[in-house]
Amino acid sequence: MKRVYIAGPMTGYPGFNYAAFDDAAGRIRFTHADAKVINPADNHNRQTDLPRWMYISKTLDQIRGLANLAYSTAADSMVAVLDGWRDSPGARLEVDAARQVVLPVYPLECILY
């Protein structure tokens, strides 16, 4: 089973860019019916007024958990990045964390086949 974490920009985007995250999650599920998609837009019941550290802590925990599953199972685990991720400090942190724990990182379009 594929496990895919979606990373991308949120801060400063209308609606925190949740529409792009939701679209990506739907597209991943459509092309990989068995995929477990981790959509950070779903964190904290989509609450958007919490301190920034709470969001970052949760996403880093999710990436660490994904890496643990990748090492302990035969699952294909990865991070899919949305357009604009390089301009987002939070998304860059997620990508760096994924790379530190040896999770592959791909542009979203590369995993949709």
Side-chain angles (χ1 to χ4, degrees):
M1 171 192 293
K2 283 190 184 305
R3 289 183 172 92
V4 183
Y5 178 89
I6 303 169
M10 288 184 168
T11 303
Y13 282 70
F16 290 89
N17 208 21
Y18 284 2
F21 281 81
D22 294 340
D23 178 66
R27 293 173 67 198
I28 294 166
R29 289 182 184 111
F30 181 79
T31 57
H32 304 283
D34 67 335
K36 162 115 173 74
V37 179
I38 303 165
N39 180 352
D42 293 332
N43 292 347
H44 305 289
N45 295 315
R46 294 186 171 240
Q47 194 172 344
T48 59
D49 59 348
L50 298 172
R52 185 169 171 78
W53 69 265
M54 291 181 74
Y55 300 104
I56 291 175
S57 177
K58 176 72 173 179
T59 60
L60 294 178
D61 283 347
Q62 289 171 315
I63 290 168
R64 185 180 64 237
L66 191 64
N68 287 340
L69 286 169
Y71 294 130
S72 64
T73 68
D76 188 11
S77 299
M78 67 191 69
V79 172
V81 292
L82 303 180
D83 289 340
W85 74 269
R86 284 184 176 91
D87 299 323
S88 167
R92 287 195 315 268
L93 180 62
E94 292 167 336
V95 167
D96 186 49
R99 289 178 174 154
Q100 291 294 323
V101 295
V102 196
L103 285 174
V105 177
Y106 301 105
L108 174 65
E109 298 303 322
C110 290
I111 67 165
L112 300 175
Y113 53 86

mmCIF file of all heavy atoms in Angstrom, residues 60-106:
data_model
loop_
_atom_site.group_PDB
_atom_site.id
_atom_site.type_symbol
_atom_site.label_atom_id
_atom_site.label_comp_id
_atom_site.label_asym_id
_atom_site.label_seq_id
_atom_site.Cartn_x
_atom_site.Cartn_y
_atom_site.Cartn_z
ATOM 1 N N LEU A 60 5.529 17.340 11.382
ATOM 2 C CA LEU A 60 6.792 16.629 11.550
ATOM 3 C C LEU A 60 6.570 15.257 12.193
ATOM 4 O O LEU A 60 7.234 14.283 11.840
ATOM 5 C CB LEU A 60 7.788 17.467 12.348
ATOM 6 C CG LEU A 60 8.266 18.747 11.656
ATOM 7 C CD1 LEU A 60 9.209 19.527 12.553
ATOM 8 C CD2 LEU A 60 8.901 18.451 10.310
ATOM 9 N N ASP A 61 5.621 15.184 13.118
ATOM 10 C CA ASP A 61 5.253 13.880 13.696
ATOM 11 C C ASP A 61 4.710 12.948 12.619
ATOM 12 O O ASP A 61 5.006 11.744 12.614
ATOM 13 C CB ASP A 61 4.209 14.045 14.797
ATOM 14 C CG ASP A 61 4.786 14.543 16.105
ATOM 15 O OD1 ASP A 61 6.019 14.535 16.265
ATOM 16 O OD2 ASP A 61 3.981 14.946 16.976
ATOM 17 N N GLN A 62 3.912 13.490 11.704
ATOM 18 C CA GLN A 62 3.349 12.661 10.637
ATOM 19 C C GLN A 62 4.442 12.141 9.707
ATOM 20 O O GLN A 62 4.408 10.984 9.278
ATOM 21 C CB GLN A 62 2.299 13.446 9.854
ATOM 22 C CG GLN A 62 1.031 13.668 10.655
ATOM 23 C CD GLN A 62 0.066 14.619 9.987
ATOM 24 O OE1 GLN A 62 0.450 15.677 9.487
ATOM 25 N NE2 GLN A 62 -1.209 14.247 9.981
ATOM 26 N N ILE A 63 5.397 12.977 9.385
ATOM 27 C CA ILE A 63 6.495 12.550 8.519
ATOM 28 C C ILE A 63 7.343 11.497 9.225
ATOM 29 O O ILE A 63 7.721 10.490 8.631
ATOM 30 C CB ILE A 63 7.335 13.761 8.065
ATOM 31 C CG1 ILE A 63 6.493 14.597 7.085
ATOM 32 C CG2 ILE A 63 8.651 13.323 7.437
ATOM 33 C CD1 ILE A 63 7.060 15.949 6.770
ATOM 34 N N ARG A 64 7.616 11.701 10.505
ATOM 35 C CA ARG A 64 8.370 10.702 11.270
ATOM 36 C C ARG A 64 7.612 9.374 11.313
ATOM 37 O O ARG A 64 8.188 8.308 11.119
ATOM 38 C CB ARG A 64 8.656 11.194 12.686
ATOM 39 C CG ARG A 64 9.537 10.225 13.466
ATOM 40 C CD ARG A 64 9.844 10.674 14.884
ATOM 41 N NE ARG A 64 8.629 10.728 15.663
ATOM 42 C CZ ARG A 64 8.195 11.816 16.299
ATOM 43 N NH1 ARG A 64 8.866 12.940 16.244
ATOM 44 N NH2 ARG A 64 7.086 11.777 17.003
ATOM 45 N N GLY A 65 6.313 9.428 11.530
ATOM 46 C CA GLY A 65 5.503 8.216 11.538
ATOM 47 C C GLY A 65 5.514 7.515 10.193
ATOM 48 O O GLY A 65 5.567 6.288 10.123
ATOM 49 N N LEU A 66 5.470 8.283 9.129
ATOM 50 C CA LEU A 66 5.528 7.714 7.782
ATOM 51 C C LEU A 66 6.864 7.004 7.556
ATOM 52 O O LEU A 66 6.912 5.907 7.006
ATOM 53 C CB LEU A 66 5.333 8.829 6.756
ATOM 54 C CG LEU A 66 5.110 8.446 5.319
ATOM 55 C CD1 LEU A 66 3.808 7.671 5.166
ATOM 56 C CD2 LEU A 66 5.071 9.702 4.453
ATOM 57 N N ALA A 67 7.932 7.604 8.020
ATOM 58 C CA ALA A 67 9.247 6.985 7.892
ATOM 59 C C ALA A 67 9.315 5.697 8.708
ATOM 60 O O ALA A 67 9.842 4.688 8.237
ATOM 61 C CB ALA A 67 10.337 7.950 8.340
ATOM 62 N N ASN A 68 8.776 5.699 9.913
ATOM 63 C CA ASN A 68 8.766 4.486 10.737
ATOM 64 C C ASN A 68 8.012 3.369 10.046
ATOM 65 O O ASN A 68 8.447 2.219 10.066
ATOM 66 C CB ASN A 68 8.151 4.768 12.108
ATOM 67 C CG ASN A 68 9.056 5.585 12.993
ATOM 68 O OD1 ASN A 68 10.251 5.648 12.784
ATOM 69 N ND2 ASN A 68 8.468 6.236 13.978
ATOM 70 N N LEU A 69 6.885 3.684 9.432
ATOM 71 C CA LEU A 69 6.118 2.670 8.702
ATOM 72 C C LEU A 69 6.892 2.160 7.495
ATOM 73 O O LEU A 69 6.848 0.976 7.181
ATOM 74 C CB LEU A 69 4.772 3.231 8.265
ATOM 75 C CG LEU A 69 3.731 3.390 9.366
ATOM 76 C CD1 LEU A 69 2.540 4.194 8.859
ATOM 77 C CD2 LEU A 69 3.291 2.039 9.889
ATOM 78 N N ALA A 70 7.581 3.047 6.820
ATOM 79 C CA ALA A 70 8.356 2.643 5.642
ATOM 80 C C ALA A 70 9.452 1.661 6.033
ATOM 81 O O ALA A 70 9.731 0.716 5.303
ATOM 82 C CB ALA A 70 8.962 3.867 4.963
ATOM 83 N N TYR A 71 10.055 1.875 7.193
ATOM 84 C CA TYR A 71 11.135 0.994 7.624
ATOM 85 C C TYR A 71 10.618 -0.330 8.179
ATOM 86 O O TYR A 71 11.299 -1.336 8.134
ATOM 87 C CB TYR A 71 12.009 1.672 8.677
ATOM 88 C CG TYR A 71 12.760 2.852 8.123
ATOM 89 C CD1 TYR A 71 12.734 4.079 8.763
ATOM 90 C CD2 TYR A 71 13.485 2.748 6.944
ATOM 91 C CE1 TYR A 71 13.413 5.165 8.248
ATOM 92 C CE2 TYR A 71 14.167 3.839 6.420
ATOM 93 C CZ TYR A 71 14.130 5.044 7.086
ATOM 94 O OH TYR A 71 14.794 6.112 6.573
ATOM 95 N N SER A 72 9.405 -0.331 8.717
ATOM 96 C CA SER A 72 8.902 -1.530 9.386
ATOM 97 C C SER A 72 7.961 -2.370 8.525
ATOM 98 O O SER A 72 7.578 -3.456 8.925
ATOM 99 C CB SER A 72 8.190 -1.144 10.685
ATOM 100 O OG SER A 72 7.037 -0.366 10.405
ATOM 101 N N THR A 73 7.580 -1.854 7.364
ATOM 102 C CA THR A 73 6.665 -2.591 6.486
ATOM 103 C C THR A 73 7.185 -2.531 5.054
ATOM 104 O O THR A 73 8.153 -1.849 4.760
ATOM 105 C CB THR A 73 5.241 -1.984 6.512
ATOM 106 O OG1 THR A 73 5.278 -0.694 5.890
ATOM 107 C CG2 THR A 73 4.698 -1.865 7.919
ATOM 108 N N ALA A 74 6.496 -3.202 4.186
ATOM 109 C CA ALA A 74 6.867 -3.161 2.766
ATOM 110 C C ALA A 74 6.168 -2.013 2.057
ATOM 111 O O ALA A 74 6.154 -1.944 0.836
ATOM 112 C CB ALA A 74 6.509 -4.485 2.106
ATOM 113 N N ALA A 75 5.577 -1.111 2.799
ATOM 114 C CA ALA A 75 4.815 -0.012 2.208
ATOM 115 C C ALA A 75 5.719 0.932 1.425
ATOM 116 O O ALA A 75 6.870 1.156 1.769
ATOM 117 C CB ALA A 75 4.089 0.771 3.287
ATOM 118 N N ASP A 76 5.157 1.479 0.391
ATOM 119 C CA ASP A 76 5.815 2.470 -0.436
ATOM 120 C C ASP A 76 5.426 3.840 0.117
ATOM 121 O O ASP A 76 4.299 4.291 -0.083
ATOM 122 C CB ASP A 76 5.326 2.287 -1.876
ATOM 123 C CG ASP A 76 6.073 3.133 -2.875
ATOM 124 O OD1 ASP A 76 7.107 3.717 -2.509
ATOM 125 O OD2 ASP A 76 5.617 3.202 -4.025
ATOM 126 N N SER A 77 6.305 4.464 0.877
ATOM 127 C CA SER A 77 6.001 5.736 1.529
ATOM 128 C C SER A 77 6.754 6.869 0.859
ATOM 129 O O SER A 77 7.918 6.706 0.491
ATOM 130 C CB SER A 77 6.371 5.672 3.011
ATOM 131 O OG SER A 77 5.636 4.677 3.663
ATOM 132 N N MET A 78 6.094 8.002 0.728
ATOM 133 C CA MET A 78 6.701 9.132 0.034
ATOM 134 C C MET A 78 6.024 10.436 0.424
ATOM 135 O O MET A 78 4.967 10.440 1.035
ATOM 136 C CB MET A 78 6.584 8.943 -1.473
ATOM 137 C CG MET A 78 5.157 8.998 -1.979
ATOM 138 S SD MET A 78 4.949 8.472 -3.692
ATOM 139 C CE MET A 78 5.288 6.741 -3.537
ATOM 140 N N VAL A 79 6.641 11.527 0.008
ATOM 141 C CA VAL A 79 6.075 12.864 0.155
ATOM 142 C C VAL A 79 5.825 13.415 -1.239
ATOM 143 O O VAL A 79 6.700 13.348 -2.103
ATOM 144 C CB VAL A 79 7.028 13.790 0.945
ATOM 145 C CG1 VAL A 79 6.530 15.222 0.942
ATOM 146 C CG2 VAL A 79 7.213 13.276 2.367
ATOM 147 N N ALA A 80 4.626 13.929 -1.451
ATOM 148 C CA ALA A 80 4.272 14.591 -2.715
ATOM 149 C C ALA A 80 4.200 16.085 -2.446
ATOM 150 O O ALA A 80 3.532 16.517 -1.505
ATOM 151 C CB ALA A 80 2.930 14.082 -3.230
ATOM 152 N N VAL A 81 4.900 16.870 -3.258
ATOM 153 C CA VAL A 81 4.906 18.316 -3.046
ATOM 154 C C VAL A 81 4.027 19.023 -4.070
ATOM 155 O O VAL A 81 3.983 18.654 -5.245
ATOM 156 C CB VAL A 81 6.344 18.897 -3.071
ATOM 157 C CG1 VAL A 81 7.130 18.428 -1.865
ATOM 158 C CG2 VAL A 81 7.076 18.556 -4.339
ATOM 159 N N LEU A 82 3.332 20.029 -3.579
ATOM 160 C CA LEU A 82 2.480 20.860 -4.426
ATOM 161 C C LEU A 82 3.291 22.012 -5.001
ATOM 162 O O LEU A 82 4.331 22.401 -4.439
ATOM 163 C CB LEU A 82 1.323 21.426 -3.607
ATOM 164 C CG LEU A 82 0.414 20.417 -2.904
ATOM 165 C CD1 LEU A 82 -0.677 21.149 -2.136
ATOM 166 C CD2 LEU A 82 -0.174 19.441 -3.889
ATOM 167 N N ASP A 83 2.801 22.580 -6.080
ATOM 168 C CA ASP A 83 3.441 23.763 -6.649
ATOM 169 C C ASP A 83 3.575 24.833 -5.571
ATOM 170 O O ASP A 83 2.688 25.003 -4.732
ATOM 171 C CB ASP A 83 2.604 24.316 -7.806
ATOM 172 C CG ASP A 83 2.652 23.429 -9.038
ATOM 173 O OD1 ASP A 83 3.599 22.611 -9.156
ATOM 174 O OD2 ASP A 83 1.744 23.548 -9.880
ATOM 175 N N GLY A 84 4.670 25.544 -5.612
ATOM 176 C CA GLY A 84 4.906 26.632 -4.677
ATOM 177 C C GLY A 84 5.552 26.206 -3.373
ATOM 178 O O GLY A 84 5.805 27.053 -2.508
ATOM 179 N N TRP A 85 5.864 24.930 -3.225
ATOM 180 C CA TRP A 85 6.405 24.464 -1.943
ATOM 181 C C TRP A 85 7.740 25.135 -1.604
ATOM 182 O O TRP A 85 8.028 25.376 -0.432
ATOM 183 C CB TRP A 85 6.528 22.941 -1.919
ATOM 184 C CG TRP A 85 7.657 22.375 -2.729
ATOM 185 C CD1 TRP A 85 7.620 21.976 -4.025
ATOM 186 C CD2 TRP A 85 8.996 22.156 -2.280
ATOM 187 N NE1 TRP A 85 8.853 21.520 -4.430
ATOM 188 C CE2 TRP A 85 9.721 21.614 -3.367
ATOM 189 C CE3 TRP A 85 9.668 22.361 -1.073
ATOM 190 C CZ2 TRP A 85 11.068 21.279 -3.284
ATOM 191 C CZ3 TRP A 85 11.017 22.018 -0.985
ATOM 192 C CH2 TRP A 85 11.691 21.488 -2.087
ATOM 193 N N ARG A 86 8.532 25.448 -2.623
ATOM 194 C CA ARG A 86 9.838 26.064 -2.360
ATOM 195 C C ARG A 86 9.716 27.466 -1.751
ATOM 196 O O ARG A 86 10.654 27.955 -1.121
ATOM 197 C CB ARG A 86 10.661 26.128 -3.641
ATOM 198 C CG ARG A 86 11.239 24.798 -4.044
ATOM 199 C CD ARG A 86 12.132 24.942 -5.278
ATOM 200 N NE ARG A 86 12.760 23.690 -5.619
ATOM 201 C CZ ARG A 86 12.243 22.805 -6.461
ATOM 202 N NH1 ARG A 86 11.083 23.041 -7.039
ATOM 203 N NH2 ARG A 86 12.881 21.688 -6.728
ATOM 204 N N ASP A 87 8.585 28.105 -1.943
ATOM 205 C CA ASP A 87 8.358 29.445 -1.404
ATOM 206 C C ASP A 87 7.760 29.408 -0.006
ATOM 207 O O ASP A 87 7.489 30.463 0.572
ATOM 208 C CB ASP A 87 7.436 30.240 -2.332
ATOM 209 C CG ASP A 87 8.035 30.424 -3.712
ATOM 210 O OD1 ASP A 87 9.268 30.609 -3.805
ATOM 211 O OD2 ASP A 87 7.281 30.374 -4.698
ATOM 212 N N SER A 88 7.550 28.233 0.530
ATOM 213 C CA SER A 88 6.905 28.074 1.841
ATOM 214 C C SER A 88 7.908 27.555 2.868
ATOM 215 O O SER A 88 8.405 26.431 2.729
ATOM 216 C CB SER A 88 5.747 27.082 1.711
ATOM 217 O OG SER A 88 5.302 26.673 2.985
ATOM 218 N N PRO A 89 8.189 28.336 3.912
ATOM 219 C CA PRO A 89 9.117 27.850 4.937
ATOM 220 C C PRO A 89 8.646 26.536 5.576
ATOM 221 O O PRO A 89 9.450 25.642 5.831
ATOM 222 C CB PRO A 89 9.152 28.977 5.967
ATOM 223 C CG PRO A 89 8.747 30.197 5.212
ATOM 224 C CD PRO A 89 7.771 29.722 4.165
ATOM 225 N N GLY A 90 7.348 26.412 5.808
ATOM 226 C CA GLY A 90 6.833 25.182 6.411
ATOM 227 C C GLY A 90 6.989 23.980 5.502
ATOM 228 O O GLY A 90 7.411 22.903 5.932
ATOM 229 N N ALA A 91 6.667 24.138 4.224
ATOM 230 C CA ALA A 91 6.802 23.032 3.271
ATOM 231 C C ALA A 91 8.269 22.666 3.073
ATOM 232 O O ALA A 91 8.608 21.480 2.962
ATOM 233 C CB ALA A 91 6.147 23.386 1.943
ATOM 234 N N ARG A 92 9.154 23.663 3.053
ATOM 235 C CA ARG A 92 10.584 23.356 2.941
ATOM 236 C C ARG A 92 11.069 22.560 4.154
ATOM 237 O O ARG A 92 11.873 21.641 4.020
ATOM 238 C CB ARG A 92 11.407 24.636 2.778
ATOM 239 C CG ARG A 92 11.269 25.282 1.406
ATOM 240 C CD ARG A 92 12.342 26.330 1.139
ATOM 241 N NE ARG A 92 12.604 27.245 2.220
ATOM 242 C CZ ARG A 92 12.007 28.425 2.384
ATOM 243 N NH1 ARG A 92 11.097 28.843 1.515
ATOM 244 N NH2 ARG A 92 12.325 29.200 3.396
ATOM 245 N N LEU A 93 10.547 22.890 5.324
ATOM 246 C CA LEU A 93 10.893 22.144 6.527
ATOM 247 C C LEU A 93 10.401 20.702 6.425
ATOM 248 O O LEU A 93 11.127 19.756 6.770
ATOM 249 C CB LEU A 93 10.291 22.816 7.761
ATOM 250 C CG LEU A 93 10.552 22.149 9.105
ATOM 251 C CD1 LEU A 93 12.043 22.109 9.415
ATOM 252 C CD2 LEU A 93 9.801 22.886 10.200
ATOM 253 N N GLU A 94 9.186 20.502 5.916
ATOM 254 C CA GLU A 94 8.649 19.150 5.735
ATOM 255 C C GLU A 94 9.502 18.345 4.750
ATOM 256 O O GLU A 94 9.813 17.177 5.002
ATOM 257 C CB GLU A 94 7.200 19.214 5.242
ATOM 258 C CG GLU A 94 6.241 19.760 6.264
ATOM 259 C CD GLU A 94 4.888 20.108 5.686
ATOM 260 O OE1 GLU A 94 4.785 20.371 4.474
ATOM 261 O OE2 GLU A 94 3.920 20.103 6.466
ATOM 262 N N VAL A 95 9.876 18.967 3.661
ATOM 263 C CA VAL A 95 10.698 18.279 2.661
ATOM 264 C C VAL A 95 12.061 17.943 3.246
ATOM 265 O O VAL A 95 12.577 16.833 3.064
ATOM 266 C CB VAL A 95 10.816 19.119 1.374
ATOM 267 C CG1 VAL A 95 11.911 18.587 0.459
ATOM 268 C CG2 VAL A 95 9.472 19.159 0.654
ATOM 269 N N ASP A 96 12.653 18.878 3.972
ATOM 270 C CA ASP A 96 13.949 18.608 4.589
ATOM 271 C C ASP A 96 13.829 17.466 5.596
ATOM 272 O O ASP A 96 14.685 16.568 5.630
ATOM 273 C CB ASP A 96 14.494 19.863 5.269
ATOM 274 C CG ASP A 96 15.899 19.661 5.788
ATOM 275 O OD1 ASP A 96 16.758 19.159 5.030
ATOM 276 O OD2 ASP A 96 16.144 19.984 6.969
ATOM 277 N N ALA A 97 12.774 17.468 6.400
ATOM 278 C CA ALA A 97 12.568 16.382 7.368
ATOM 279 C C ALA A 97 12.414 15.049 6.651
ATOM 280 O O ALA A 97 12.984 14.041 7.066
ATOM 281 C CB ALA A 97 11.345 16.674 8.232
ATOM 282 N N ALA A 98 11.653 15.031 5.571
ATOM 283 C CA ALA A 98 11.464 13.792 4.804
ATOM 284 C C ALA A 98 12.799 13.296 4.269
ATOM 285 O O ALA A 98 13.110 12.099 4.357
ATOM 286 C CB ALA A 98 10.481 14.030 3.661
ATOM 287 N N ARG A 99 13.582 14.179 3.741
ATOM 288 C CA ARG A 99 14.885 13.772 3.199
ATOM 289 C C ARG A 99 15.818 13.282 4.304
ATOM 290 O O ARG A 99 16.597 12.341 4.094
ATOM 291 C CB ARG A 99 15.505 14.925 2.424
ATOM 292 C CG ARG A 99 14.765 15.184 1.120
ATOM 293 C CD ARG A 99 15.332 16.340 0.354
ATOM 294 N NE ARG A 99 14.671 16.460 -0.944
ATOM 295 C CZ ARG A 99 14.566 17.598 -1.615
ATOM 296 N NH1 ARG A 99 15.095 18.713 -1.126
ATOM 297 N NH2 ARG A 99 13.957 17.628 -2.779
ATOM 298 N N GLN A 100 15.743 13.891 5.479
ATOM 299 C CA GLN A 100 16.585 13.470 6.598
ATOM 300 C C GLN A 100 16.268 12.048 7.043
ATOM 301 O O GLN A 100 17.154 11.332 7.514
ATOM 302 C CB GLN A 100 16.430 14.434 7.786
ATOM 303 C CG GLN A 100 17.001 15.807 7.548
ATOM 304 C CD GLN A 100 18.496 15.805 7.384
ATOM 305 O OE1 GLN A 100 19.209 15.059 8.044
ATOM 306 N NE2 GLN A 100 19.004 16.637 6.488
ATOM 307 N N VAL A 101 15.008 11.643 6.912
ATOM 308 C CA VAL A 101 14.621 10.279 7.303
ATOM 309 C C VAL A 101 14.507 9.362 6.084
ATOM 310 O O VAL A 101 13.911 8.304 6.140
ATOM 311 C CB VAL A 101 13.334 10.255 8.163
ATOM 312 C CG1 VAL A 101 13.573 10.958 9.492
ATOM 313 C CG2 VAL A 101 12.158 10.870 7.415
ATOM 314 N N VAL A 102 15.068 9.806 4.957
ATOM 315 C CA VAL A 102 15.218 9.030 3.723
ATOM 316 C C VAL A 102 13.873 8.637 3.112
ATOM 317 O O VAL A 102 13.694 7.529 2.612
ATOM 318 C CB VAL A 102 16.131 7.794 3.935
ATOM 319 C CG1 VAL A 102 16.588 7.255 2.594
ATOM 320 C CG2 VAL A 102 17.323 8.124 4.795
ATOM 321 N N LEU A 103 12.912 9.557 3.156
ATOM 322 C CA LEU A 103 11.666 9.372 2.409
ATOM 323 C C LEU A 103 11.823 10.064 1.064
ATOM 324 O O LEU A 103 12.299 11.202 1.002
ATOM 325 C CB LEU A 103 10.478 9.995 3.147
ATOM 326 C CG LEU A 103 9.943 9.258 4.356
ATOM 327 C CD1 LEU A 103 8.868 10.105 5.036
ATOM 328 C CD2 LEU A 103 9.382 7.905 3.966
ATOM 329 N N PRO A 104 11.410 9.416 -0.003
ATOM 330 C CA PRO A 104 11.492 10.079 -1.303
ATOM 331 C C PRO A 104 10.480 11.222 -1.398
ATOM 332 O O PRO A 104 9.395 11.162 -0.820
ATOM 333 C CB PRO A 104 11.171 8.971 -2.299
ATOM 334 C CG PRO A 104 10.461 7.928 -1.530
ATOM 335 C CD PRO A 104 10.908 8.044 -0.105
ATOM 336 N N VAL A 105 10.871 12.241 -2.135
ATOM 337 C CA VAL A 105 10.034 13.426 -2.339
ATOM 338 C C VAL A 105 9.839 13.603 -3.840
ATOM 339 O O VAL A 105 10.819 13.624 -4.596
ATOM 340 C CB VAL A 105 10.699 14.687 -1.737
ATOM 341 C CG1 VAL A 105 9.857 15.922 -2.006
ATOM 342 C CG2 VAL A 105 10.952 14.495 -0.240
ATOM 343 N N TYR A 106 8.578 13.711 -4.263
ATOM 344 C CA TYR A 106 8.253 13.852 -5.683
ATOM 345 C C TYR A 106 7.258 14.982 -5.884
ATOM 346 O O TYR A 106 6.362 15.178 -5.052
ATOM 347 C CB TYR A 106 7.593 12.573 -6.221
ATOM 348 C CG TYR A 106 8.404 11.332 -6.086
ATOM 349 C CD1 TYR A 106 8.103 10.377 -5.117
ATOM 350 C CD2 TYR A 106 9.479 11.086 -6.932
ATOM 351 C CE1 TYR A 106 8.848 9.222 -4.997
ATOM 352 C CE2 TYR A 106 10.232 9.926 -6.820
ATOM 353 C CZ TYR A 106 9.907 8.997 -5.841
ATOM 354 O OH TYR A 106 10.648 7.856 -5.721
#
